[in-house]
Amino acid sequence: MTTSSTALSIATSDPASQPGLATGINIQGLTKRFDLGRKSVQALSEVNLGTKKDSFLSLLGPSGCGKSTILRILAGLETPSTGTVVVNGKSAAEVQKSHETGIAFQDSALLPWRTVKKNIQLPLEVSGITPPPGLVDDLIDLVGLKGFENAKPAQLSGGMRQRVSIARCLAVQPTIMLLDEPFGALDDMTRQRMNVELLRIWGEKPATTLMVTHGIAEAVFLSDVVAVMSARPGRIAEVVEIDLPRPRLPELQRTPEFHAYVDRISEILFGAHGAAAGDD
Amino acid sequence: MTTSSTALSIATSDPASQPGLATGINIQGLTKRFDLGRKSVQALSEVNLGTKKDSFLSLLGPSGCGKSTILRILAGLETPSTGTVVVNGKSAAEVQKSHETGIAFQDSALLPWRTVKKNIQLPLEVSGITPPPGLVDDLIDLVGLKGFENAKPAQLSGGMRQRVSIARCLAVQPTIMLLDEPFGALDDMTRQRMNVELLRIWGEKPATTLMVTHGIAEAVFLSDVVAVMSARPGRIAEVVEIDLPRPRLPELQRTPEFHAYVDRISEILFGAHGAAAGDD
Amino acid sequence: MTDLRQQSEQASIEHELGDSVGLGLETGGKGRERRTLLGALHGMPPWVGAIIGIVVILVAWQIVSVTFYPKTQSIPQPALVGKQLFYDLFQTGVYWNAIAKTGGAALWGYLWGNLIALFLAFLVLVQPWFEGLSTQLAVVCSCIPLTAIAPIVTLLAPAGSRNTSIFLAALSVIFTTVVGTILGLRAASETQIDVIRAYGGGRMTQLFKVRLIAALPSILAALKLAAPAAFLGAVLGEYFVLGVDSGIGILLLAAQATGASVRLWAIALISAGVAGAAYFLIGRIGRLLTPWSAGDARAGEGF
Amino acid sequence: MATSTPTPRAGLRARAAMNASIEMPTGAGWRYVAGRIGRSLFTLLISAVVLTVAWYVALKLLDANAFIAKTPLDVVKYLFVKNPLMTMSPADIRHTLWNLLLVTLYHAGIGFVGGVVGSVIVSVLFTLIRPLEFMFMPLAMLLRTVPLLAMAPVIYLVLGQGAATAGFIGGVVVFFPLLVNLTLGFRSVSAQSVDLIRVYGGNRWTIMTKVAFPNALPHFFASMRIAVPGALTGAMLYEWLFTFQGLGGVISQAKTNSNYGQIWAIVVLITVVAIVFYTITTFIEAAVLAKWGPNAGKAVTK
Amino acid sequence: SSGTSGSSTSASAGAAVKAGAYGTIALQLSWIKNIEFAGEYFATEKGYYTKAGFKGVTLLAGGGQTGAEEALLAGQALVGLSSPSITAPSVLQGAALKIIASTYQKNPFCLLSLQEKTPIKTLADLKGKTIGVQSGGNETIVKGFLAANNLTNDVKLVTTQYSIAPLEAGKYDAHMSYTTNEPLEAKADGFTPVVLTLADNGLPFVAETYTVTQDTIDNKRDLLKAFLVAEIKGWTDAVKDPEQAAKYAVTKYGKDQNLAQAEQVEEMNAQNALMLTDDVNKNGLMTMTDELIAENIKSLGLMGTKITADKLFDMSLIKEVYKENPDLITTFTIPSA
Ligand SMILES: Nc1ncnc2c1ncn2[C@@H]1O[C@H](COP(=O)(O)OP(=O)(O)OP(=O)(O)O)[C@@H](O)[C@H]1O
Ligand SMILES: Nc1ncnc2c1ncn2[C@@H]1O[C@H](COP(=O)(O)OP(=O)(O)OP(=O)(O)O)[C@@H](O)[C@H]1O
Ligand SMILES: Cc1ncc(C[n+]2csc(CCO)c2C)c(N)n1
Ligand SMILES: [Mg+2]
Ligand SMILES: [Mg+2]
């Protein structure tokens, strides 16, 4: 079993033996194989991961290593081939039913026939939640789309669509957030602002969060825990706790502690002393 | 007219009066207004931009400022509302007919019923070009998808799909390359490798290139010229020539010159002394 | 901080961007000039095309009529038919009554048939296992020999009722609508469904929020096809009914039996007109309801 | 910033991992196909039972006259038990029906081919040259909206009574739904795919072959589903209006002879045949779409 | 003394019936409402049905494809207008039906050819020719006709509809027609019609026959007789007044078909020629002599329907009607063909 060199206090790569550290996300012995008629692809080989409730976990790893797959399994959109997945003490099916999940997909997945506003309202309609007045407008404002409330997705640029999908994710004021490269299509400035806003929202109403990203700095800036995955068939190479004070302000990114984390994770991802080797 | 403080030698923001600096891309008085029934959106207001043939131009700017729109107009996919667009001395229609353009869209736009290999071959089939033997396999290798030749897009991760679309762009060995955030969905490592490879290929067979990106460092690393756009309705805020030696190696990114460029462009994009203000 | 972004935040759309009718009109290089003949053709507005088409048809008809059947009027000249049409429609009330009667039966058949069809299709949605059964029932509806089954319906219905017309109209639409609807209910993309699933939406929510809407273009295409089919079914039904005195089918029967070929053509055209009008009406409604198509703003606009 | 660039070294991303490919056959191919066929046969059986029961119950509920309305049992008797009122033996009856069916299938085949080929060509032309659609859609509409019953003599005048007319009648029944569905299929191509082909210098025809055809495959097969029973209906109509042949021709004959047993047997026969051909169509559809359709390669998640 | 006014003679069969005692019955016509049912229109208009004890008689238009026999068996009508060529096969298949009277003494079928194309004046002319026949009932009839004249192997049959356009275009040589109908059309189109009637060329049988179920005969004999009385009165009026008959058809009963008055008058006259014979003048309208019945049985045999007279015809009712109401027998002027 791969473990980080420092002792973990809010996450674990062995949730089976440390259930206390897996009150939020709790992934045990998870594997996933896709069957394609006669062929099959092993996407995940034995993933074990736990985080405490209301902690912010980022998933980093090479393209195609299975990050989205893990996220989809947590969201109950894909069934594990083997293993179990529990979030906030609930199974994926229960999580779905409880209407507490916010999700943003790698592609924005907007409904083309709905306006920006209506797209953001969709999860509320599905869950039957009446939002506090002004919430949706505030969200539109938050993602910088004021004036586009009634635009259809086809009239938006790629980045604008992605922002709609982030607003949609936040609409249910979730206790579980699943974000798949939500800021991938954004320019640095918007991305930075969205990060700060995300942190603010998350700080106000914490949620057990899993974010897939390929921005190391972003992951460090936002997360309590960063899990680094190795290439396909994916598994967790290392779990790194980010012990930086909160609330985190943009200035944090210029501190040496921050850079140390970025460097360390870069090394895990790209470094020569492959942690992965110890994994086989 | 906005001009950068330093004299320009391979690009111009006034191609009308400096045709010699607009032998590659030549955009004059370009505006674009989208009509939506009774309403309309002004996406571009008066864009002027020229680059020399075979130079590498990057377009930076806030989300929704019209970057993709310019690229689509250059590709002949959108008609200008006013103004003219010429690339390598040819109109957009002529460019299309000459089968010399390579393009990668912001979303991968793969044909779901074609395998990876067949998707990459598509431009060749369309242009009626017989590729040198091994070209397609080399491209698959280049983007790290060996073994997935016969996979269908639905079987790929987001990043893998994007890589297929980059390989497809390169298949025709284009003299004009139009890249819309081609590396947006890639992890840093792959992205870095793709950048280096792109530079190598471009070095071997130069092409007049326009790349839309939101990575400032990436833009500086790859480009001869970086054009920074201001927010919608979009126009060119500033044109910056990147006078760094070629071939460029990854190490370049750690030089002070490189950082100076990154800082300067960041300042144009985010800085207080808005260049955009001078434009009105 | 007056950076470039800031403006993007403030900028809102000129003329205020609201609900968007007619998306993507200006996209896709449609406006590109082409100096070819084809380009010229593409440039002309639809109604010019329609008029050219009608003129071409009328001229061809006239030529066939006068060269091959100058005497017998087996294929009567368009002008004669036009005159008859005008006379029949505006000098007598007979035809309007017939249109109303047959149209009424067609409408009922259309409603019933489509209700049944939608029901069969939705069964599939609720329980995919039903697909075989639903479509096979629909196949039976479409291919059951009408000449055999229609008299039975007539005899089971009260004398003088138009049930046979309603029945045949219904039979004529069931199959197309079932196939169209099942096709449409699969049109939603996996990611669109995923959004609903992730938020705990069940089958019904998926159905109403995504599948149904994504299915609309396809369902409406089927409903459009069904409209003329229903009318023709109702006309055919009048060849089997007992105790019914009025209707387009009755008029056809009478015109055929009395060898009134000009009138026959006029009635056939009236019938075509009604069926065509129904087709275009449903088509219009469809366009209004689904300005987007299968998930892509510019899809449905062709290329 | 995320774009800070560490030097690539041999790390987690071992090239080997990227070279891993999709694992190959688990040998379930044939079992999969057999399973599909088995399931179809099962639904066929269920449908048969449902239809038979519905038929029986409907007649009983409506209290239909037994002379006219035959029950499933009557049909079985007609086909297999000697009836003193009939001059023919059951074996002869079955043989006659079989031969009539072959004739009808021949006519249906002509109509099917005529309708499918015609509609594919016309929908391609309509899609490629949009104005043609505006010009000739009314004519295509007319074919579908004029009662064939009324125009039968004219069709006879122009086309006579042979294969041309069979093709025409079958074609008309099949043509229009196909035309509409195919045109819809061709139109619903994704804009990005069209853009892609355009950029590479493809013309409308290239878009047609590379994008629109594969994209329209589901619509094409939906049309096929309509065309197959439609061709049978068309053949019956043709035989009724223009010939004394086939099952369609013999129905009028049977009616004058009050041979209701035969009429119901024909109804059953045509229905069964249509369902069988329909099912075969769905097999082909499944096979082709799995390989070529827009959902090709989509995972079978269990 | 016929009831031109229809008021004088109390003609009800036997004992007087209370008004409306027979209730409302339905008569299934053999075609949509045109001049062919002129007698029924008169019976309705002049109140003959009500006088006979009916609340009313519903005239059910017939159509192309559903037969009167079926309507009778399904209970939609009590009496149906049909033809022995259709009723007889039903009886053979086990339907308990009987013909109780016949409007036409001769069937209206003829082979129509055109002087300008290939005129077929005699049976001999038929050899090697092609006849257009409507599928269904008429096909059986033509085959019987050919069998009667040993022409089965010398003539080719092709399917056609009622329209004579294919004949006029020369697609075939002769068209299976109604004498009341298609020859007039050919004339209107500028051709010279040549007519070869089936009735006079080996296939005599009656048409527009009144068919009922055996059950009705057994249980509602009085009703049927009362009905026949009204029919006879109606037809007597109609035969005498083609103009008024046509007017009823055009302005009231067939108003939904946009019929032409002159055309309907012409058809009425042609129809009269089929109804009126010396036998009718002697025995009354709608009667059938034994010889006529025998001829019918023979013709049916030629059409492939082997049936006996007692299984198909029951003339006892109409005979009783005339016996009880001898004043219903009218002497008409027989039109010359
Ligand atoms: N087809 C269209 N119809 C209407 N408006 C459009 C259309 N395409 C783009 N726009 C509008 O034009 C503006 C510029 O869009 P464009 O896609 O060029 O932005 P971008 O700079 O590429 O942004 P991003 O970085 O987010 O991709 C946006 O405000 C968008 O709403
Ligand atoms: N529906 C599917 N059918 C078949 N294979 C699939 C499917 N989805 C994912 N895979 C495979 O599973 C592996 C992991 O995919 P996943 O999308 O989870 O990667 P990822 O880590 O999110 O990559 P990226 O960063 O590029 O988005 C890939 O090799 C992919 O080919
Ligand atoms: C040969 C022939 N011609 C016409 C008809 C149809 N038909 C039945 S009644 C009627 C009107 C005559 O008044 C007509 C035209 C037929 N059955 N057979
Ligand atoms: Mg992913
Ligand atoms: Mg863009």
Short mmCIF file of all heavy atoms in Angstrom, two decimals, chain C residues 257-258, chain E residues 30-31 34-36 104 109 134 138 162 176-178 180-182 267 271, ligand 3:
data_model
loop_
_atom_site.label_atom_id
_atom_site.label_comp_id
_atom_site.label_asym_id
_atom_site.label_seq_id
_atom_site.Cartn_x
_atom_site.Cartn_y
_atom_site.Cartn_z
N ALA C 257 -67.52 6.71 -59.92
CA ALA C 257 -68.59 5.91 -60.49
C ALA C 257 -69.28 6.62 -61.64
O ALA C 257 -69.81 6.00 -62.54
CB ALA C 257 -69.60 5.54 -59.41
N THR C 258 -69.27 7.97 -61.59
CA THR C 258 -69.95 8.70 -62.66
C THR C 258 -68.97 9.19 -63.71
O THR C 258 -69.34 9.95 -64.60
CB THR C 258 -70.72 9.91 -62.09
OG1 THR C 258 -69.81 10.68 -61.32
CG2 THR C 258 -71.88 9.46 -61.22
N SER E 30 -77.23 -0.62 -51.63
CA SER E 30 -76.08 -1.27 -52.25
C SER E 30 -75.05 -0.28 -52.75
O SER E 30 -74.02 -0.65 -53.30
CB SER E 30 -76.56 -2.14 -53.42
OG SER E 30 -77.21 -1.32 -54.36
N TRP E 31 -75.35 0.99 -52.56
CA TRP E 31 -74.43 2.02 -53.10
C TRP E 31 -74.72 3.30 -52.36
O TRP E 31 -75.67 3.37 -51.57
CB TRP E 31 -74.68 2.15 -54.61
CG TRP E 31 -73.73 3.06 -55.34
CD1 TRP E 31 -74.05 4.25 -55.92
CD2 TRP E 31 -72.34 2.87 -55.56
NE1 TRP E 31 -72.95 4.81 -56.48
CE2 TRP E 31 -71.87 3.98 -56.28
CE3 TRP E 31 -71.43 1.85 -55.20
CZ2 TRP E 31 -70.54 4.11 -56.66
CZ3 TRP E 31 -70.10 1.99 -55.58
CH2 TRP E 31 -69.68 3.11 -56.30
N ASN E 34 -77.88 7.54 -54.63
CA ASN E 34 -78.12 8.22 -55.89
C ASN E 34 -79.45 7.72 -56.44
O ASN E 34 -80.25 7.12 -55.71
CB ASN E 34 -76.96 8.02 -56.87
CG ASN E 34 -76.81 6.57 -57.29
OD1 ASN E 34 -77.56 5.70 -56.83
ND2 ASN E 34 -75.85 6.30 -58.15
N ILE E 35 -79.69 7.93 -57.71
CA ILE E 35 -80.97 7.61 -58.33
C ILE E 35 -81.34 6.14 -58.19
O ILE E 35 -82.51 5.76 -58.26
CB ILE E 35 -80.93 8.03 -59.82
CG1 ILE E 35 -82.32 8.04 -60.44
CG2 ILE E 35 -80.02 7.09 -60.60
CD1 ILE E 35 -83.16 9.19 -59.95
N GLU E 36 -80.32 5.32 -57.92
CA GLU E 36 -80.54 3.88 -57.82
C GLU E 36 -81.58 3.54 -56.75
O GLU E 36 -82.16 2.46 -56.78
CB GLU E 36 -79.21 3.22 -57.44
CG GLU E 36 -78.86 2.04 -58.29
CD GLU E 36 -77.49 1.52 -57.92
OE1 GLU E 36 -76.53 2.32 -57.88
OE2 GLU E 36 -77.38 0.32 -57.67
N TYR E 104 -84.44 -5.06 -60.05
CA TYR E 104 -84.06 -5.24 -61.45
C TYR E 104 -84.42 -6.64 -61.90
O TYR E 104 -84.15 -7.63 -61.20
CB TYR E 104 -82.54 -5.07 -61.64
CG TYR E 104 -82.00 -3.68 -61.43
CD1 TYR E 104 -82.82 -2.60 -61.08
CD2 TYR E 104 -80.63 -3.44 -61.58
CE1 TYR E 104 -82.28 -1.34 -60.89
CE2 TYR E 104 -80.09 -2.18 -61.40
CZ TYR E 104 -80.92 -1.13 -61.04
OH TYR E 104 -80.39 0.10 -60.83
N PHE E 109 -75.25 -5.49 -65.94
CA PHE E 109 -73.86 -5.62 -66.43
C PHE E 109 -73.80 -5.72 -67.94
O PHE E 109 -74.66 -6.30 -68.59
CB PHE E 109 -73.20 -6.84 -65.81
CG PHE E 109 -73.00 -6.70 -64.34
CD1 PHE E 109 -73.82 -7.36 -63.45
CD2 PHE E 109 -71.99 -5.89 -63.85
CE1 PHE E 109 -73.65 -7.22 -62.08
CE2 PHE E 109 -71.81 -5.74 -62.48
CZ PHE E 109 -72.65 -6.41 -61.60
N GLN E 134 -63.37 -5.02 -62.68
CA GLN E 134 -63.10 -4.62 -61.30
C GLN E 134 -62.91 -5.90 -60.47
O GLN E 134 -63.65 -6.86 -60.62
CB GLN E 134 -64.27 -3.82 -60.74
CG GLN E 134 -64.62 -2.57 -61.52
CD GLN E 134 -65.39 -2.84 -62.80
OE1 GLN E 134 -65.85 -3.95 -63.04
NE2 GLN E 134 -65.52 -1.82 -63.63
N ASN E 138 -67.31 -8.50 -59.49
CA ASN E 138 -67.48 -8.46 -60.94
C ASN E 138 -66.62 -9.48 -61.67
O ASN E 138 -66.97 -9.95 -62.75
CB ASN E 138 -67.18 -7.06 -61.46
CG ASN E 138 -68.24 -6.06 -61.04
OD1 ASN E 138 -69.23 -6.46 -60.40
ND2 ASN E 138 -68.07 -4.81 -61.38
N TYR E 162 -63.64 1.51 -61.71
CA TYR E 162 -64.87 1.90 -62.40
C TYR E 162 -64.60 2.85 -63.56
O TYR E 162 -65.36 2.91 -64.51
CB TYR E 162 -65.84 2.58 -61.41
CG TYR E 162 -66.28 1.68 -60.28
CD1 TYR E 162 -66.52 2.17 -59.01
CD2 TYR E 162 -66.46 0.31 -60.50
CE1 TYR E 162 -66.92 1.34 -57.98
CE2 TYR E 162 -66.86 -0.52 -59.47
CZ TYR E 162 -67.08 0.00 -58.22
OH TYR E 162 -67.48 -0.82 -57.21
N MET E 176 -65.95 -3.84 -68.16
CA MET E 176 -67.11 -4.33 -67.41
C MET E 176 -67.87 -3.13 -66.86
O MET E 176 -67.32 -2.34 -66.09
CB MET E 176 -66.61 -5.23 -66.27
CG MET E 176 -67.70 -5.71 -65.35
SD MET E 176 -68.79 -6.88 -66.17
CE MET E 176 -69.46 -7.73 -64.76
N SER E 177 -69.16 -3.00 -67.28
CA SER E 177 -69.89 -1.77 -66.98
C SER E 177 -71.30 -2.06 -66.49
O SER E 177 -71.80 -3.18 -66.58
CB SER E 177 -70.00 -0.89 -68.23
OG SER E 177 -68.74 -0.68 -68.78
N TYR E 178 -71.91 -0.98 -66.00
CA TYR E 178 -73.36 -0.97 -65.78
C TYR E 178 -73.98 -0.30 -67.01
O TYR E 178 -73.51 0.75 -67.42
CB TYR E 178 -73.72 -0.10 -64.56
CG TYR E 178 -73.68 -0.81 -63.24
CD1 TYR E 178 -72.91 -1.95 -63.05
CD2 TYR E 178 -74.43 -0.33 -62.17
CE1 TYR E 178 -72.89 -2.59 -61.83
CE2 TYR E 178 -74.42 -0.96 -60.94
CZ TYR E 178 -73.64 -2.08 -60.78
OH TYR E 178 -73.60 -2.71 -59.58
N THR E 180 -76.51 1.26 -67.04
CA THR E 180 -77.08 2.53 -66.59
C THR E 180 -76.03 3.62 -66.51
O THR E 180 -76.35 4.76 -66.18
CB THR E 180 -77.66 2.35 -65.17
OG1 THR E 180 -76.64 1.83 -64.33
CG2 THR E 180 -78.84 1.42 -65.19
N ASN E 181 -74.81 3.28 -66.75
CA ASN E 181 -73.77 4.16 -66.26
C ASN E 181 -72.63 4.47 -67.25
O ASN E 181 -72.59 5.52 -67.87
CB ASN E 181 -73.22 3.50 -64.99
CG ASN E 181 -72.55 4.49 -64.08
OD1 ASN E 181 -71.53 5.01 -64.46
ND2 ASN E 181 -73.13 4.76 -62.95
N GLU E 182 -71.74 3.51 -67.39
CA GLU E 182 -70.54 3.78 -68.17
C GLU E 182 -70.78 4.11 -69.63
O GLU E 182 -70.08 4.96 -70.20
CB GLU E 182 -69.55 2.61 -68.04
CG GLU E 182 -68.79 2.56 -66.72
CD GLU E 182 -69.52 1.77 -65.63
OE1 GLU E 182 -70.74 1.56 -65.78
OE2 GLU E 182 -68.89 1.37 -64.66
N GLU E 267 -80.06 8.18 -65.97
CA GLU E 267 -79.83 6.90 -65.30
C GLU E 267 -81.14 6.25 -64.88
O GLU E 267 -81.29 5.04 -64.94
CB GLU E 267 -78.94 7.11 -64.06
CG GLU E 267 -77.49 6.81 -64.33
CD GLU E 267 -76.69 6.71 -63.05
OE1 GLU E 267 -76.91 5.74 -62.28
OE2 GLU E 267 -75.87 7.59 -62.83
N GLN E 271 -82.45 2.71 -65.86
CA GLN E 271 -82.82 1.80 -64.78
C GLN E 271 -84.22 1.21 -65.02
O GLN E 271 -84.46 0.03 -64.78
CB GLN E 271 -82.78 2.60 -63.47
CG GLN E 271 -82.97 1.80 -62.23
CD GLN E 271 -82.57 2.63 -61.01
OE1 GLN E 271 -81.54 2.40 -60.43
NE2 GLN E 271 -83.40 3.58 -60.66
C1 LIG F 3 -69.38 -2.61 -63.66
C2 LIG F 3 -69.63 -1.78 -62.50
N1 LIG F 3 -69.63 -0.45 -62.64
C3 LIG F 3 -69.87 0.33 -61.62
C4 LIG F 3 -70.09 -0.25 -60.38
C5 LIG F 3 -70.28 0.61 -59.17
N2 LIG F 3 -71.61 1.09 -59.03
C6 LIG F 3 -72.48 0.53 -58.23
S1 LIG F 3 -73.92 1.37 -58.31
C7 LIG F 3 -73.33 2.47 -59.39
C8 LIG F 3 -74.08 3.63 -59.86
C9 LIG F 3 -75.11 3.21 -60.83
O1 LIG F 3 -76.23 3.91 -60.57
C10 LIG F 3 -72.06 2.17 -59.68
C11 LIG F 3 -71.28 2.96 -60.62
C12 LIG F 3 -70.08 -1.63 -60.24
N3 LIG F 3 -70.28 -2.19 -59.02
N4 LIG F 3 -69.82 -2.38 -61.31
#
